[in-house]
Amino acid sequence: MLVIGGGPAGLTAAMELAERGFAVTVVEARALEGKARSIPVLGTGQDGRSDLPGEHGFRFFPGFYRNVTETMARIPAPARGACRTGSVADRLVATTEVLFARDQGRDGVVVDIAGGPAHRDPEAALRAVGGLLARTPGLSAAESVYFAGRLLVFATSGRARHDGEWENTSWWDFTAGAGASEEYRRMCVIGPTRTLVAAKAERAGVPSIGRTQVEFWSGLLGASGYAEADRVLDAPTTEAWIGPWASHLVRLGVRFLIGHLVIRLRTAGGRVRAAVRLPSGAVHEIESDWFVCAVPAEAAVRTLGPEVCDLDESLTDIDRLETDWMTGIQFFLREPTPLAHGHVVHVDSPWALTSIAQAQFWSRTDLPRRYGDGTVRDCLSVDVSAWDVPGPLTGRPARACTRAEFIEEVWHQLDSSLRRGGHRLLSRDLVHSCYTDPAIRWPTEPGGLAHNREPLLISTPGSRQWRPRPAGQVPNLFQAGDHVDVDLNLATMEAADQSAKAAVNALLEATGSRAGRCLVRGWAPASELDRLRVLDDELYAAGLPNVFDRPAPWISGPAR
């Protein structure tokens, strides 16, 4: 059994197969867990300490992530001292706040998201949201009500409307971004797309953004079946999750080939026979009876190769899927700087920044004792989503900046929004060092553009037709990854995990295995709205809008 790709999808597939008695080899070109891993900042560890933990971007696990957390619950976490944590899932800790930071001298607004749904008071949650809206004077009551109505339209739409209308509609059009106020666009239209995934509102499709919004608000308002609204790991990602996972897979008998790039698959008789790989520049083949391709969308067609695509023409459309940039920078600080007990959304930042002070959650990691030179006490991790918008300091988009200019611009935008009572919450004197994602290749000359080796998939209108299914027309080849057509079509660890389990189930069917099938948790819309969704199917068949669909107050005619 050969699994190509060692990211979340590949490791999930390897674990599910190994637990069912298959001999599994994982081939990975770079490093296990791909964009989800911690990345050591080489040369920073001193006196026996580990190198500082860099990353592609901070990890977070919303309450509607069910598949990846189910996998984590089956990964043993090693005991440390008197602390005997049972599984990696036990290393998830809940945040309690979201800070909506503003610039132009305005104080940010903190929204309380503490507690799980079983203990959450919906009225209190609504009051917290109302407080945010009340302190956003540029956002009118009519706009707030309209946006809430759009979420209700999405939640009560039937399958026919989802597939026939919303699948081909952008989030921008669905939320009537054109003609609305700047505050509405920032808080309701652009914010949910830029901060959750690297998607432009004009290009992101309704199904992926709409579902994440409805799921988040359902959990926040106390719906059953959800965990805390937002969770993070209690240590750097590799320490808390990836390291224990790799050790568990080795115990299960999984074999790893790291640094081996699969350049194509060789076929014969309508089946895949071998993966052609390049270790250290030499060409070799790995033969197997069964294959799971778990590489990212941007590498899939190249990895599958022309022979496979000739056997399954639907796979050639993968290269029509679009990607965008969402990657990070870490500022390592000399003093703890807990700006909020959770994530910070920098609402007005041109580069769509989100951030989190991580060390406050690393309860099981003594950062200065275990990492770096002993003087780093916090890690402010920042995600940058808008790479093609000019920055106020440099006047250039992030793609056109040198690394030094990029760092200065990000710090400037952070500093502009992190104020309280007119006082700065950050000081440049706190910065020990910073780390940028090594997947970015920065321009070395004026006029050059940066290159990103690891972009993120975005779900554009109509793109579902180009996504591969877990099982296709090649009988011994299966697809996994966040670009695969499963319940959640979004560039997330959750979608990667879900697709891997779906691929394994398809493989088990193909092999005639009697092993138990993987538990795949799909989206279960609120049953209280079932009758409204049935009604909407009837309305859609009659060519009528959803019963709650109303035109935006600032335009004439229906929002669609």
Side-chain angles (χ1 to χ4, degrees):
M1 186 71 58
L2 189 67
V3 175
I4 304 167
L11 295 191
T12 299
M15 177 172 161
E16 299 291 352
L17 290 166
E19 287 180 344
R20 289 160 175 78
F22 289 89
V24 181
T25 297
V26 176
V27 183
E28 166 56 39
R30 294 175 187 161
L32 291 184
E33 267 301 276
K35 292 186 280 288
R37 72 192 188 280
S38 301
I39 308 170
V41 186
L42 298 179
T44 57
Q46 298 181 17
D47 301 324
R49 301 179 188 87
S50 298
D51 288 330
L52 290 168
E55 55 192 2
H56 169 84
F58 53 71
R59 308 271 73 76
F60 81 111
F61 300 80
F64 60 85
Y65 277 19
R66 300 178 181 89
N67 291 284
V68 67
T69 49
E70 187 273 337
T71 298
M72 295 169 76
R74 290 159 37 221
I75 303 171
R80 180 181 297 153
C83 184
R84 298 188 176 277
T85 302
S87 73
V88 166
D90 296 320
R91 304 199 64 171
L92 291 171
V93 295
T95 70
T96 61
E97 299 174 333
V98 177
L99 169 60
F100 290 84
R102 308 305 303 262
D103 63 7
Q104 299 178 352
R106 293 175 290 181
D107 286 351
V109 180
V110 175
V111 175
D112 183 357
I113 60 170
H119 305 94
R120 187 173 293 131
D121 179 357
E123 292 185 9
L126 288 172
R127 283 195 298 271
V129 175
L132 169 65
L133 299 179
R135 295 179 63 183
T136 309
L139 184 67
S140 71
E143 289 174 321
S144 300
V145 170
Y146 177 74
F147 180 70
R150 301 315 290 163
L151 297 183
L152 184 60
V153 167
F154 182 84
T156 58
S157 291
R159 173 52 58 188
R161 193 180 303 277
H162 274 277
D163 292 344
E165 185 171 6
W166 302 146
E167 170 61 29
N168 300 299
T169 304
S170 72
W171 182 251
W172 178 266
D173 289 340
F174 179 76
T175 54
S181 72
E182 184 65 24
E183 287 291 85
Y184 173 81
R185 288 197 291 265
R186 291 185 179 185
M187 296 294 292
C188 302
V189 182
I190 297 173
T193 57
R194 282 300 196 185
T195 58
L196 287 176
V197 290
K200 297 179 176 66
E202 299 88 342
R203 294 169 61 199
V206 170
S208 56
I209 305 303
R211 176 183 164 180
T212 58
Q213 287 293 295
V214 169
E215 291 253 56
F216 177 81
W217 285 105
S218 296
L220 190 64
L221 295 176
S224 62
Y226 292 83
E228 294 88 349
D230 185 11
R231 296 159 296 170
V232 295
L233 290 165
D234 69 353
T237 308
T238 293
E239 178 184 335
W241 178 23
I242 309 307
W245 198 0
S247 298
H248 180 56
L249 291 175
V250 169
R251 289 192 295 270
L252 290 173
V254 175
R255 178 188 177 214
F256 292 104
L257 294 176
I258 309 299
H260 293 243
L261 174 66
V262 173
I263 57 173
R264 64 180 177 87
L265 301 181
R266 180 173 62 78
T267 66
R271 300 172 67 89
V272 177
R273 297 301 180 184
V276 181
R277 60 189 174 97
L278 286 173
S280 304
V283 178
H284 297 277
E285 289 191 354
I286 309 175
E287 295 186 347
S288 181
D289 293 326
W290 303 95
F291 296 80
V292 176
C293 184
V295 299
E298 67 272 12
V301 170
R302 182 204 69 216
T303 301
L304 294 168
E307 294 180 38
V308 169
C309 292
D310 285 344
L311 294 174
D312 188 347
E313 293 182 356
S314 67
L315 296 176
T316 61
D317 288 331
I318 298 175
D319 62 0
R320 300 181 69 176
L321 297 171
E322 297 184 39
T323 60
D324 208 337
W325 294 24
M326 184 181 190
T327 189
I329 175 174
Q330 289 77 55
F331 292 94
F332 294 103
L333 307 178
R334 295 187 176 91
E335 296 293 338
T337 311
L339 305 168
H341 194 258
H343 289 92
V344 181
V345 180
H346 301 267
V347 178
D348 304 305
S349 61
W351 287 1
L353 307 184
T354 47
S355 67
I356 185 169
Q358 294 184 301
Q360 62 185 313
F361 301 102
W362 291 347
S363 57
R364 294 180 58 186
T365 297
D366 186 338
L367 189 58
R369 183 176 64 84
R370 299 188 56 206
Y371 288 94
D373 61 6
T375 66
V376 173
R377 301 183 64 192
D378 208 345
C379 174
L380 180 60
S381 187
V382 185
D383 275 352
V384 181
S385 296
W387 284 74
D388 52 4
V389 177
L393 188 65
T394 62
R396 293 195 298 279
R399 294 176 191 258
C401 288
T402 65
R403 181 176 181 272
E405 291 170 337
F406 173 79
I407 293 169
E408 287 299 318
E409 182 68 71
V410 171
W411 184 265
H412 173 76
Q413 294 184 34
L414 289 173
D415 182 55
S416 296
S417 62
L418 292 172
R419 308 289 177 97
R420 186 172 298 151
H423 300 289
R424 286 190 170 110
L425 299 182
L426 289 179
S427 167
R428 194 59 187 263
D429 294 338
L430 294 175
V431 178
H432 170 279
S433 57
C434 61
Y435 181 72
T436 55
D437 188 347
I440 302 294
R441 293 291 181 262
W442 300 97
T444 57
E445 298 179 359
L449 294 176
H451 174 70
N452 186 358
R453 293 186 303 171
E454 297 181 348
L456 287 182
L457 177 75
I458 57 173
S459 298
T460 54
S463 62
R464 185 178 181 184
Q465 62 184 311
W466 304 322
R467 292 173 177 269
R469 299 288 296 167
Q473 297 173 14
V474 182
N476 67 333
L477 174 65
F478 305 88
Q479 305 293 323
D482 56 23
H483 63 289
V484 172
D485 185 17
V486 291
D487 186 59
L488 179 60
N489 287 330
L490 196 65
T492 60
M493 297 176 290
E494 175 73 356
D497 187 282
Q498 187 182 36
S499 71
K501 291 172 179 174
V504 169
N505 284 344
L507 187 152
L508 294 174
E509 290 292 331
T511 61
S513 172
R514 295 184 178 180
R517 293 333 189 224
C518 305
L519 176 63
V520 181
R521 298 180 182 272
W523 182 28
S527 59
E528 296 86 350
L529 303 178
D530 282 349
R531 294 183 66 181
L532 288 169
R533 284 188 282 270
V534 172
L535 171 63
D536 189 64
D537 281 334
E538 297 173 357
L539 292 172
Y540 183 75
L544 297 173
N546 181 278
V547 69
F548 296 108
D549 203 340
R550 297 292 184 271
W554 52 91
I555 62 175
S556 60
R560 307 187 305 281

